[in-house]
Amino acid sequence: MQLTGEMLIGRAAIRGQAGSQRAFNPTANAEIPEPEFGLGSREDVERAVDLATRAFDSYRNLPLERRAAFLEAIAEEILALGDAL
């Protein structure tokens, strides 16, 4: 898994233009130099919220069994990342 510092909004990888932030490693008490994460603007956040709201409306209407299968598939993908995560 390659971290790029981009945000995923909808199906697009977007480089935030509202500043930047680096991750922090508390064990080493130091910033992690790469990647630098671009921060989202108000417009980026509004777009992400709008898309999430619309996606949830579709999800909410699914039968419980389909929702459970979807969440289990997500969990399996997360576990498959292993040490990379």
Side-chain angles (χ1 to χ4, degrees), residues 3 21-37:
L3 294 178
Q21 178 72 46
R22 286 191 167 84
F24 188 79
N25 180 346
T27 342
N29 196 30
E31 284 187 340
I32 300 171
E34 295 296 327
E36 186 173 76
F37 295 88

Side-chain angles (χ1 to χ4, degrees), residues 1-71:
M1 180 168 90
Q2 177 70 31
L3 294 178
T4 64
E6 296 173 318
M7 302 175 289
L8 298 176
I9 299 178
R11 295 182 179 181
I14 298 168
R15 183 73 184 174
Q17 300 297 313
S20 62
Q21 178 72 46
R22 286 191 167 84
F24 188 79
N25 180 346
T27 342
N29 196 30
E31 284 187 340
I32 300 171
E34 295 296 327
E36 186 173 76
F37 295 88
L39 302 177
S41 65
R42 176 181 295 274
E43 292 80 17
D44 293 329
V45 173
E46 288 173 358
R47 172 130 173 86
V49 168
D50 178 57
L51 290 169
T53 299
R54 286 192 272 151
F56 184 74
D57 287 341
S58 299
Y59 177 79
R60 172 184 16 214
N61 293 321
L62 291 174
L64 293 177
E65 296 79 20
R66 292 270 314 271
R67 287 192 246 173
F70 177 67
L71 293 174

